[in-house]
Amino acid sequence: MAVLNLIEAITHALDYEMGKDESVVVYGEDVGFEGGVFRATKGLQQKYGEKRVFDSILAESSIVGSGIGMAINGLRPVVEIQFSGFMFPGYNQIVTHAARMRNRSRGLYTVPMVIRMPYGGGVRALEHHSESLEVLFAHIPGLKVVIPSTPYDAKGLLLAAIRDPDPVIFLEPKRIYRAFKQEVPEEDYTIPIGKAKVVKSGSDLTVVTWGAMVRDTQKAIEIVEKEGFNIELIDLRTISPIDQETVVESVKKTGRFVVVHEAVSSYGPGAELISIINEKAFLHLEAPPTRVAPPDIIVPLPKGEHHYLPDVNHIAVALRQVLKF
Amino acid sequence: MAVLNLIEAITHALDYEMGKDESVVVYGEDVGFEGGVFRATKGLQQKYGEKRVFDSILAESSIVGSGIGMAINGLRPVVEIQFSGFMFPGYNQIVTHAARMRNRSRGLYTVPMVIRMPYGGGVRALEHHSESLEVLFAHIPGLKVVIPSTPYDAKGLLLAAIRDPDPVIFLEPKRIYRAFKQEVPEEDYTIPIGKAKVVKSGSDLTVVTWGAMVRDTQKAIEIVEKEGFNIELIDLRTISPIDQETVVESVKKTGRFVVVHEAVSSYGPGAELISIINEKAFLHLEAPPTRVAPPDIIVPLPKGEHHYLPDVNHIAVALRQVLKF
Amino acid sequence: MFLKPYVPQSEEMVQIMDPNGNIVKPEWMPNLSNEEIIEMYETMVFSRIIDEKILQYQRQGRILTYAPNLGQEAAQVGSGFAIKQTDWVASAFRELGVWLRKKAPLYNILLYWYGNEEGMHMPEEVRILPVSVPIASQLQHATGLAYASKYRNEPDVTLGYVGDGGTSQGDFHEALNFASVNQTPNVFIVQNNQFAISTRRAVQTKVKTIAEKALAYGMPGIQVDGNDIFAMYAVTKEAVDQARNGGGPTLIEAYTYRLGAHTTADDPTVYRDQEEVEEWLKKDPIDRLKKYMLKAGIWDEEKEEALRKEKSEIVKSEFTKVENSEPVALEAVFDYIYADKTSIQKEQYYKLKALQEEVE
Amino acid sequence: MFLKPYVPQSEEMVQIMDPNGNIVKPEWMPNLSNEEIIEMYETMVFSRIIDEKILQYQRQGRILTYAPNLGQEAAQVGSGFAIKQTDWVASAFRELGVWLRKKAPLYNILLYWYGNEEGMHMPEEVRILPVSVPIASQLQHATGLAYASKYRNEPDVTLGYVGDGGTSQGDFHEALNFASVNQTPNVFIVQNNQFAISTRRAVQTKVKTIAEKALAYGMPGIQVDGNDIFAMYAVTKEAVDQARNGGGPTLIEAYTYRLGAHTTADDPTVYRDQEEVEEWLKKDPIDRLKKYMLKAGIWDEEKEEALRKEKSEIVKSEFTKVENSEPVALEAVFDYIYADKTSIQKEQYYKLKALQEEVE
Ligand SMILES: Cc1ncc(C[n+]2csc(CCOP(=O)(O)OP(=O)(O)O)c2C)c(N)n1
Ligand SMILES: Cc1ncc(C[n+]2csc(CCOP(=O)(O)OP(=O)(O)O)c2C)c(N)n1
Ligand SMILES: [Mg+2]
Ligand SMILES: [Mg+2]
């Protein structure tokens, strides 16, 4: 049992699976010799050689597109997009090919590939380093979208993603890459894709979130619970396909719902959850399902970024509002 | 006053504005000599010359990216993406630049540009010719997204889009390009971007839709109204920014809500409307807000496409369900 | 022979057989048996007949959009014969001759264009990726396929096809660059048929030959008379052998002409004169090989008639099968989005099923 | 002079002044007054001092990520001096010398890197597009800017800058192709500083020179000693003049070296040896011009000291202003998404405002 932070858990999972499965190859910009700008692939080229771990050309469409070809021809590519904001040149390959090859060939060719991307804000970065783009993947049939929130989950979900028969977009909340450590078993274990986790059960309100927002939301819940409430927290873990059962069950119990996310509000991921709850738990609702999300603006550069991300206080205010409705 | 179908109204609007404003240039694949695969730009090169109307290279990133440069340097480019399913290579330019230049330069540089795209299904086409991708634009702050449903609106909205100071994604429902004709004034008129249209007022249920689905929904409403109901139909016309006032007002009156669209259901455009209604009209709701939308599948090739698009009967069934809830 | 030293800028197009079926470069004539030449010819004729038949069905409203290959048969069949059955192909949508060469069942091909994805579920040994509509995107897959072959030390080569219009896309650039940097066993074939829908080749790029573009990647680039099946075969064979032996990728420009419409939705008379088409009809790749075979005494009109009759019958009977194929079931459009349907998809499926049954 | 006849494959890099400040090709020496040469030098030194100061502030935690230009000053300032104030520039994020040449206020530049978009609101006459982070994407804008100039028969030329890594992106390919096909008044400058973060130039492409890539677009391509400011100036000037006179675009490879880290978030010792850096330090572009100027008797250590002092003071005082600048108001992050705030944005704004006020 090692005590690892989130990024170390990812390195460990990659290492583990490469050791086990020769068909796993890892590449992306600066991923080889240097081990990636966040060091997620540190040491892997030295251990597994340049054929299995390499620096790609600086071209995201090539990174994704070549990965599709490799996956069809028997490999299990795990590619890195340096920041999710740089996935756009590769988006054509992701949407029109990775997501569709199985359907287009009626199961003859499949794309068991993982596309890793650090995502999200709060690290005071340059432009395009802070986007939360989960909807752009979750709206596309054929893609799975996974977001871990702890080192333990990161390993289990990444192993599940690599072994998944379909393409998985693996979004890593870089704000918490090194935020805390956790015991991560050295052994093989997976966390099923498509299953949410009830972090904490409660009876008065259901809160759903994922990624780095899990911790902020936990803190907000702690504050609000001191005021006499009992709140259920669900870490969605998989953005698509949604574990609607877990969420709907919870709302049927609590009657109240808040979703917290880092993506902009309009046409954002929270809207889908609210719609599911309307469809499945309408008669149980005692207050309007509510989203806590950034406004419809472009993630500002560092000096303005605090206006963007909801903070603990902001979340707490929203929880109270819904609880007292 | 001319009697035109939707595609003719678009040609007419382009012609009108080119005649009026020398800074308008029109280009895209096959847009010049041939006048576009749908003939939206027919005759324009002959009339305005190759400098103002031309065949682009076969490269959507170049089409959008060069348009951004032109718009910054004083032109008003109206570019065509041959089918919306081929916008993906240009998506990087749309999201990271067209949508952001104003903010990035704090108003110094702006991108008054229109990106026209035929979109939607029901024309029994090859793959990638039938997508409905409005969410991929509507979720991006900085973009406006407009969809006309009639020839009259097409002209008024396109003129408004060309004159808009910000980039407008202009999605044309190609299924109804030639479906019907309408009187379209030769004169100058615009339809404001951001305003929905109450097609028909009613008291029992609010139905919101747009594009080609307006006609199908109208038919479904006619059927259901014969059963003794009175239904309000709103043509959203602008997907972003949403005219929330008109929609919320209506739901406050009717207490019931259905949204009909061609995009796949999960994380689709309907979810945003449902969330707004929850936030703004929760206490007025008498039935769960409901969406009528294709399932989470890839638009099938022609022989399977009827499984995808909701038809009149499908819409009618949903309306009845909500009315009788 | 062709590839070293290559001077793509020299504008010397490789031609072995002239439009009259005469061998003008005997020293380059590939070593092909009469049987092989006849097989090539038969494949080209088969392709032509399929095109003609489908166009006929299309006029009858029995099939929807189709992209004919008329005039490009030698570019496709010639290059297709240079690879093995085990080699991979990543193509766009106008490579029928390659599909035939790779033993793709005609039934599948027709079923696809009929509008049913099931057609692209080819037998595994065909090894051609499904039709790829987003222009040039398939070349990226070609590089990955080849990388995987090289990774496992397998001898397979991957051919990537693209059109002249496709060379303008960023994906063309990135794929050739990847292949060159990683020395993957790839051969890229540009079918320069002079048009991207209505847009002429000269609008796409200012270079004199598309083959020159290879210079930007430090790989051999070579322009070939795409209507000369011997030249197409010989050059592709050398490039494929080189790739198979670790020599890296090659770019081949097949200089040809699209005799028909872009697709059945297109009317080429809007943007080109019949005279131009007539000029190219004189260079027809099938006529050309036929002239050669007649002169060589390995073909006659009787055989020709028999061949055409046989192939026509096959197309007819396969198309009848396609027309009688099962309609696309609701299950089919749900079953291949993921390996397993999601919980939401299951609900959507049952709801639609109930709706459909209600109507029936 | 340089561009015709161009043979980018010849591997002859254009050099006018050697690392010792000697003019090795007097016949190519551009016609520059002493004042102009001194101005070029001052601009390079200013750039260097800005970099050094910001790196110092960064270590003190007073500024966040920054991309220094160390070693690339001649490539930037030399090319920048070849254009007029009215010409356009579309650059990435490592072109400080060009910004300075185009009279971008230092305050704005520092404010931007301090983390405030307001910095990119330059005076209108600067005519440089804001910092563009998505690699190579800005070259597409360069083509559109130039198209618009040509459209209105205005004489302006647009310079597009990109790195060696950026040449791998599809956008590089498409932009050069657009410019060539449309003969827009563009000059593309690749600052080949040998690295894309940790990735070496050889990983990006197999060609010997990046200049060769021009062959794929039928435009002149030329490799220049990017640490020789006279060569950079002379070649860019010829290309700019040609573009201005309707002669179409040119690709220039500035062969140089990134002496510092990729950005302040990067540690180059992980992927390269100090020896390599030492070798390049000997070719430092600023030292080189200084040697020339000392020999020419137009410069001395006194002037040098005065210059450095003056520029340091400017950076210090401008940075103080930046540190004392107004915090980013909530309004500011809403006000420039659209010309007018949407109704939803207005609600979001008031809600956030109330929240923030509550906390205060
Ligand atoms: C990314 C993308 N953009 C546009 C289209 C629409 N389109 C289909 S075929 C075609 C022209 C292709 O020309 P070329 O590459 O020369 O191939 P050819 O049709 O001549 O075989 C275009 C523009 C597409 N399929 N994909
Ligand atoms: C599309 C995109 N992908 C990845 C990145 C991350 N990134 C920032 S700089 C850089 C390397 C750029 O190298 P080069 O073009 O040589 O420019 P240099 O940094 O050397 O000036 C990378 C990969 C990015 N900014 N944009
Ligand atoms: Mg073509
Ligand atoms: Mg570089």
Side-chain angles (χ1 to χ4, degrees):
Chain A
M1 190 82 95
V3 177
L4 306 177
N5 63 29
L6 204 154
I7 189 88
E8 288 164 350
I10 284 171
T11 313
H12 167 64
L14 290 171
D15 188 5
Y16 182 88
E17 198 65 4
M18 292 196 80
K20 207 177 150 211
D21 180 354
E22 255 206 82
S23 67
V24 177
V25 294
V26 167
Y27 62 101
E29 291 154 15
D30 305 293
V31 154
F33 188 81
E34 186 191 31
V37 293
F38 287 105
R39 305 292 188 269
T41 54
K42 194 177 155 186
L44 297 179
Q45 185 179 72
Q46 288 70 17
K47 188 160 173 187
Y48 297 104
E50 289 187 29
K51 233 168 76 173
R52 295 190 66 191
V53 184
F54 62 98
D55 290 329
S56 71
I57 55 173
L58 206 176
E60 288 78 9
S61 186
S62 161
I63 293 172
V64 178
S66 61
I68 291 167
M70 291 182 204
I72 290 172
N73 197 2
L75 300 186
R76 296 233 162 209
V78 183
V79 303
E80 176 177 303
I81 301 291
Q82 205 158 71
F83 290 86
S84 71
F86 303 131
M87 71 88 189
F88 292 105
Y91 194 57
N92 186 40
Q93 290 288 346
I94 294 174
V95 175
T96 72
H97 290 299
R100 292 179 170 221
M101 203 53 85
R102 176 187 293 278
N103 184 62
R104 186 182 292 144
S105 69
R106 282 285 186 263
L108 172 64
Y109 297 123
T110 58
V111 182
M113 172 181 190
V114 179
I115 307 179
R116 292 182 42 246
M117 310 182 190
Y119 93 103
V123 300
R124 315 186 76 207
L126 298 179
E127 205 189 345
H128 300 294
H129 292 65
S130 305
E131 278 95 339
S132 289
L133 304 173
E134 52 266 47
V135 163
L136 304 189
F137 305 114
H139 184 48
I140 306 297
L143 298 179
K144 294 181 179 175
V145 185
V146 170
I147 301 182
S149 71
T150 67
Y152 181 89
D153 284 9
K155 175 175 173 184
L157 286 167
L158 185 51
L159 291 187
I162 301 175
R163 296 170 194 175
D164 197 276
D166 287 304
V168 179
I169 308 294
F170 197 84
L171 295 170
E172 301 168 4
K174 62 177 170 299
R175 177 150 65 99
I176 54 167
Y177 262 162
R178 298 185 163 83
F180 61 100
K181 298 203 173 206
Q182 206 181 26
E183 294 205 333
V184 176
E186 313 261 359
E187 303 87 71
D188 201 323
Y189 69 96
T190 57
I191 293 177
I193 290 174
K195 291 303 284 170
K197 174 171 145 199
V198 179
V199 179
K200 176 193 166 308
S201 73
S203 52
D204 300 333
L205 164 66
T206 301
V207 183
V208 173
T209 188
W210 52 87
M213 279 299 182
V214 172
R215 284 183 20 118
D216 298 321
T217 305
Q218 265 173 320
K219 285 180 201 154
I221 288 175
E222 277 167 32
I223 295 169
V224 176
E225 287 201 329
K226 290 202 187 106
E227 298 158 22
F229 299 102
N230 184 227
I231 298 172
E232 180 145 316
L233 174 62
I234 296 174
D235 177 354
L236 198 58
R237 288 206 296 212
T238 298
I239 310 305
S240 178
I242 287 188
D243 180 358
Q244 49 169 352
E245 290 74 12
T246 300
V247 175
V248 169
E249 260 336 291
S250 174
V251 176
K252 280 185 180 167
K253 179 176 69 178
T254 63
R256 292 167 203 265
F257 177 78
V258 170
V259 54
V260 182
H261 59 72
E262 289 194 31
V264 297
S265 177
S266 284
Y267 295 98
E272 178 59 30
L273 287 156
I274 291 177
S275 298
I276 288 174
I277 287 161
N278 269 271
E279 283 157 7
K280 301 271 163 62
F282 181 72
L283 293 177
H284 298 81
L285 284 175
E286 290 161 34
T290 297
R291 41 190 173 180
V292 179
D296 295 346
I297 62 170
I298 293 155
V299 188
L301 290 187
K303 294 294 169 198
E305 201 187 352
H306 58 290
H307 295 311
Y308 181 85
L309 275 189
D311 60 15
V312 173
N313 174 53
H314 182 163
I315 302 168
V317 168
L319 300 185
R320 272 185 216 111
Q321 259 168 15
V322 174
L323 283 162
K324 294 178 182 166
F325 184 86
Chain B
M1 191 82 97
V3 177
L4 305 176
N5 64 30
L6 204 154
I7 189 88
E8 288 163 350
I10 285 171
T11 313
H12 167 64
L14 290 171
D15 187 4
Y16 182 88
E17 199 65 4
M18 292 195 81
K20 205 175 149 210
D21 180 354
E22 254 206 82
S23 66
V24 177
V25 294
V26 167
Y27 62 101
E29 291 154 16
D30 305 295
V31 154
F33 189 80
E34 187 191 31
V37 295
F38 288 105
R39 305 293 188 270
T41 54
K42 195 177 154 186
L44 297 180
Q45 187 179 71
Q46 288 69 19
K47 188 160 172 186
Y48 297 104
E50 289 187 28
K51 233 168 76 174
R52 296 190 63 190
V53 185
F54 62 98
D55 290 328
S56 72
I57 54 172
L58 207 176
E60 287 79 8
S61 187
S62 160
I63 293 172
V64 179
S66 61
I68 292 167
M70 291 182 205
I72 291 172
N73 197 1
L75 300 185
R76 297 235 161 206
V78 183
V79 303
E80 177 177 303
I81 300 292
Q82 205 159 72
F83 289 86
S84 72
F86 302 132
M87 71 88 189
F88 292 105
Y91 194 56
N92 186 41
Q93 289 288 348
I94 294 174
V95 175
T96 71
H97 290 300
R100 290 178 172 224
M101 202 53 84
R102 175 188 293 278
N103 184 61
R104 186 181 292 141
S105 68
R106 283 286 187 261
L108 173 64
Y109 297 124
T110 59
V111 182
M113 171 183 190
V114 179
I115 307 179
R116 293 182 40 245
M117 311 183 190
Y119 92 103
V123 300
R124 313 185 77 208
L126 299 177
E127 205 188 346
H128 300 295
H129 292 64
S130 306
E131 279 94 339
S132 289
L133 305 173
E134 53 267 45
V135 163
L136 303 188
F137 305 113
H139 185 47
I140 306 298
L143 298 179
K144 295 182 179 174
V145 185
V146 170
I147 301 183
S149 71
T150 67
Y152 181 89
D153 283 9
K155 175 175 172 183
L157 286 167
L158 186 49
L159 291 188
I162 300 176
R163 298 171 193 175
D164 198 275
D166 286 306
V168 178
I169 308 294
F170 197 83
L171 295 169
E172 300 169 4
K174 61 178 171 297
R175 176 151 64 97
I176 54 165
Y177 261 163
R178 296 183 166 83
F180 61 100
K181 297 202 171 205
Q182 205 180 25
E183 293 203 336
V184 176
E186 313 262 0
E187 303 84 73
D188 200 324
Y189 68 96
T190 57
I191 293 177
I193 291 175
K195 290 304 282 171
K197 173 173 145 195
V198 180
V199 179
K200 177 193 163 307
S201 74
S203 53
D204 300 334
L205 165 64
T206 300
V207 184
V208 172
T209 187
W210 53 87
M213 278 299 182
V214 173
R215 285 186 19 121
D216 298 322
T217 305
Q218 265 172 320
K219 286 180 200 153
I221 288 175
E222 276 167 32
I223 295 169
V224 175
E225 287 201 330
K226 290 206 185 101
E227 297 159 22
F229 299 102
N230 183 229
I231 298 171
E232 180 145 317
L233 174 62
I234 295 173
D235 177 354
L236 198 58
R237 290 204 295 211
T238 297
I239 310 307
S240 179
I242 287 187
D243 179 358
Q244 50 169 354
E245 289 76 11
T246 300
V247 175
V248 169
E249 260 335 289
S250 174
V251 176
K252 280 188 179 164
K253 178 176 70 177
T254 64
R256 291 167 204 265
F257 177 77
V258 171
V259 53
V260 182
H261 60 72
E262 290 194 30
V264 297
S265 178
S266 285
Y267 295 99
E272 178 59 31
L273 285 157
I274 291 176
S275 298
I276 288 175
I277 288 161
N278 269 270
E279 283 158 6
K280 301 272 163 63
F282 181 72
L283 292 178
H284 298 81
L285 284 174
E286 290 161 33
T290 296
R291 43 191 171 179
V292 179
D296 295 346
I297 62 170
I298 293 154
V299 187
L301 291 187
K303 294 294 169 196
E305 200 187 353
H306 58 290
H307 296 311
Y308 180 85
L309 275 189
D311 60 14
V312 173
N313 175 53
H314 184 162
I315 301 168
V317 168
L319 300 185
R320 273 186 214 109
Q321 260 169 18
V322 174
L323 283 163
K324 293 178 182 164
F325 184 87
Chain C
M1 190 154 66
F2 305 106
L3 307 184
K4 289 185 196 62
Y6 63 93
V7 189
Q9 290 162 296
S10 70
E11 285 178 76
E12 271 185 81
M13 189 158 82
V14 176
Q15 190 188 70
I16 295 175
M17 171 171 62
D18 74 10
N20 296 316
N22 297 321
I23 301 303
V24 290
K25 284 276 194 188
E27 66 276 26
W28 287 352
M29 181 65 187
N31 196 3
L32 289 161
S33 70
N34 288 341
E35 289 67 38
E36 285 170 319
I37 293 173
I38 290 171
E39 200 190 335
M40 284 173 151
Y41 182 73
E42 289 176 345
T43 309
M44 286 206 289
V45 171
F46 194 19
S47 167
R48 179 69 57 98
I49 288 172
I50 294 167
D51 273 3
E52 290 168 350
K53 280 271 169 215
I54 300 188
L55 290 175
Q56 184 190 323
Y57 298 145
Q58 203 275 338
R59 279 189 297 270
Q60 298 164 352
R62 294 161 69 188
I63 201 165
L64 294 159
T65 318
Y66 177 71
N69 305 272
L70 303 165
Q72 299 176 224
E73 293 86 352
Q76 298 170 17
V77 174
S79 56
F81 266 74
I83 56 170
K84 299 186 181 171
Q85 186 63 39
T86 43
D87 289 329
W88 285 92
V89 172
S91 60
F93 45 78
R94 202 188 303 284
E95 287 87 1
L96 176 60
V98 187
W99 286 90
L100 296 175
R101 158 61 177 169
K102 286 285 252 121
K103 303 207 177 78
L106 179 58
Y107 175 79
N108 287 60
I109 297 172
L110 293 173
L111 186 63
Y112 170 80
W113 287 105
Y114 192 62
N116 186 339
E117 287 86 351
E118 195 57 41
M120 281 295 127
H121 193 150
M122 295 278 162
E124 223 171 287
E125 61 274 18
V126 173
R127 288 205 165 180
I128 309 192
L129 300 193
V131 163
S132 172
V133 174
I135 299 295
S137 57
Q138 68 278 0
L139 298 183
Q140 306 270 27
H141 313 155
T143 68
L145 290 167
Y147 191 94
S149 298
K150 184 177 171 179
Y151 181 88
R152 290 190 301 263
N153 296 313
E154 288 166 1
D156 307 325
V157 171
T158 302
L159 248 57
Y161 286 86
V162 71
D164 47 319
T167 64
S168 292
Q169 288 279 9
D171 273 358
F172 171 84
H173 174 71
E174 296 184 12
L176 267 70
N177 196 34
F178 179 104
S180 156
V181 165
N182 294 290
Q183 289 289 293
T184 45
N186 280 118
V187 177
F188 299 101
I189 300 191
V190 179
Q191 290 196 69
N192 172 8
N193 64 3
Q194 314 302 332
F195 288 94
I197 310 187
S198 72
T199 306
R200 286 183 181 271
R201 169 17 208 109
V203 169
Q204 300 296 341
T205 172
K206 245 192 134 55
V207 285
K208 293 203 196 107
T209 72
I210 286 173
E212 280 166 64
K213 292 185 181 285
L215 293 169
Y217 312 101
M219 70 168 76
I222 188 160
Q223 194 188 42
V224 182
D225 181 345
N227 288 12
D228 170 1
I229 196 163
F230 294 137
M232 276 307 300
Y233 172 82
V235 173
T236 311
K237 186 81 172 53
E238 186 175 335
V240 165
D241 288 347
Q242 178 163 306
R244 207 185 301 285
N245 297 324
T250 299
L251 174 67
I252 297 172
E253 173 186 0
Y255 192 84
T256 180
Y257 191 84
R258 196 192 76 212
L259 289 174
H262 169 69
T263 67
T264 47
D266 172 53
D267 174 10
T269 63
V270 171
Y271 53 81
R272 70 185 186 189
D273 292 333
Q274 189 53 26
E275 284 140 57
E276 184 182 295
V277 181
E278 297 294 338
E279 274 314 300
W280 276 92
L281 276 170
K282 293 181 195 152
K283 303 184 206 162
D284 188 287
I286 298 182
D287 286 356
R288 190 185 300 200
L289 182 58
K290 186 178 171 191
K291 284 181 196 153
Y292 168 87
M293 288 162 63
L294 290 173
K295 286 180 210 172
I298 59 175
W299 197 249
D300 56 37
E301 288 303 339
E302 213 168 300
K303 284 183 183 148
E304 177 82 16
E305 206 174 307
L307 171 68
R308 288 187 174 262
K309 200 160 164 247
E310 180 207 331
K311 297 300 186 195
S312 292
E313 288 306 323
I314 293 175
V315 180
K316 263 190 245 172
S317 81
E318 292 303 305
F319 192 68
T320 305
K321 277 194 227 160
V322 164
E323 288 193 312
N324 293 322
S325 63
E326 287 290 310
V328 176
L330 184 61
E331 286 83 344
V333 302
F334 277 90
D335 273 357
Y336 299 97
I337 309 299
Y338 301 99
D340 300 305
K341 280 205 277 288
T342 67
S343 123
I344 291 175
Q345 284 182 316
K346 278 181 205 154
E347 287 176 12
Q348 292 170 336
Y349 168 72
Y350 287 115
K351 216 175 129 184
L352 272 178
K353 201 170 134 125
L355 254 176
Q356 292 184 356
E357 280 164 4
E358 202 180 289
V359 174
E360 276 156 23
Chain D
M1 188 156 67
F2 305 106
L3 306 183
K4 290 187 194 52
Y6 63 93
V7 190
Q9 289 162 297
S10 70
E11 286 178 77
E12 271 186 82
M13 189 159 82
V14 176
Q15 191 188 70
I16 295 175
M17 171 171 62
D18 75 9
N20 296 317
N22 298 320
I23 301 304
V24 291
K25 284 274 195 190
E27 66 275 29
W28 288 352
M29 183 65 188
N31 195 1
L32 290 162
S33 68
N34 287 342
E35 288 67 37
E36 285 169 320
I37 293 173
I38 290 171
E39 198 188 335
M40 284 174 151
Y41 181 74
E42 288 176 344
T43 309
M44 288 205 288
V45 171
F46 194 19
S47 167
R48 179 68 58 97
I49 288 173
I50 294 168
D51 273 3
E52 289 169 351
K53 280 271 167 213
I54 299 188
L55 290 173
Q56 183 190 322
Y57 298 146
Q58 203 276 336
R59 280 189 297 271
Q60 297 165 352
R62 294 162 69 189
I63 202 165
L64 294 157
T65 319
Y66 177 70
N69 306 272
L70 304 164
Q72 300 177 222
E73 292 86 353
Q76 298 170 15
V77 174
S79 57
F81 266 75
I83 55 171
K84 299 187 181 169
Q85 186 64 36
T86 43
D87 290 328
W88 285 91
V89 171
S91 59
F93 43 79
R94 204 187 304 284
E95 287 87 359
L96 176 60
V98 187
W99 287 91
L100 296 176
R101 157 61 178 166
K102 286 284 253 123
K103 304 205 177 80
L106 178 59
Y107 174 80
N108 286 62
I109 297 172
L110 293 173
L111 186 63
Y112 171 81
W113 288 104
Y114 192 64
N116 186 342
E117 287 86 351
E118 195 56 41
M120 280 295 128
H121 193 151
M122 293 279 162
E124 222 171 287
E125 62 275 17
V126 173
R127 288 205 166 180
I128 308 191
L129 299 193
V131 164
S132 172
V133 175
I135 299 293
S137 57
Q138 67 279 2
L139 299 183
Q140 306 270 27
H141 313 155
T143 68
L145 289 169
Y147 191 94
S149 298
K150 185 177 170 179
Y151 181 88
R152 288 190 302 262
N153 297 312
E154 288 166 1
D156 306 327
V157 170
T158 302
L159 248 56
Y161 285 86
V162 72
D164 47 319
T167 64
S168 291
Q169 289 281 9
D171 273 357
F172 171 83
H173 174 70
E174 297 184 10
L176 268 70
N177 196 32
F178 178 104
S180 155
V181 165
N182 294 290
Q183 290 289 292
T184 45
N186 280 117
V187 176
F188 299 101
I189 300 191
V190 179
Q191 289 197 69
N192 172 7
N193 64 4
Q194 314 303 330
F195 287 94
I197 310 187
S198 73
T199 306
R200 284 183 183 270
R201 165 23 203 108
V203 170
Q204 300 295 343
T205 174
K206 246 192 135 51
V207 285
K208 292 199 199 112
T209 71
I210 285 173
E212 279 166 65
K213 291 185 181 285
L215 294 169
Y217 312 100
M219 69 168 76
I222 188 159
Q223 195 187 42
V224 182
D225 180 345
N227 288 12
D228 169 0
I229 195 164
F230 294 138
M232 277 306 299
Y233 172 81
V235 172
T236 311
K237 186 83 173 51
E238 184 174 338
V240 165
D241 288 347
Q242 178 162 305
R244 207 185 301 284
N245 298 321
T250 299
L251 175 67
I252 296 173
E253 174 186 0
Y255 192 83
T256 180
Y257 191 84
R258 196 193 74 213
L259 288 174
H262 168 69
T263 66
T264 45
D266 171 54
D267 174 11
T269 63
V270 170
Y271 52 81
R272 70 184 187 191
D273 292 333
Q274 190 53 28
E275 284 139 59
E276 185 182 293
V277 181
E278 299 292 339
E279 275 314 301
W280 276 92
L281 276 171
K282 293 180 197 154
K283 302 184 206 163
D284 187 288
I286 297 181
D287 286 356
R288 192 185 298 200
L289 182 58
K290 186 177 172 190
K291 283 180 195 153
Y292 168 87
M293 287 161 63
L294 290 174
K295 284 181 211 173
I298 60 175
W299 197 248
D300 57 39
E301 289 303 338
E302 214 168 299
K303 286 183 182 149
E304 177 82 17
E305 207 174 306
L307 172 67
R308 290 188 174 262
K309 196 155 169 253
E310 179 207 333
K311 297 300 186 194
S312 293
E313 288 306 323
I314 293 175
V315 180
K316 262 190 245 171
S317 81
E318 293 303 306
F319 192 67
T320 305
K321 279 193 224 160
V322 164
E323 288 193 311
N324 293 324
S325 63
E326 287 291 308
V328 176
L330 184 60
E331 285 84 344
V333 302
F334 277 90
D335 272 357
Y336 300 98
I337 309 299
Y338 300 98
D340 299 304
K341 279 206 275 289
T342 69
S343 121
I344 292 176
Q345 284 182 318
K346 278 180 206 155
E347 287 176 13
Q348 293 170 335
Y349 168 72
Y350 286 115
K351 217 175 128 184
L352 273 177
K353 202 171 136 124
L355 255 174
Q356 292 184 357
E357 281 164 3
E358 202 179 291
V359 174
E360 277 156 23

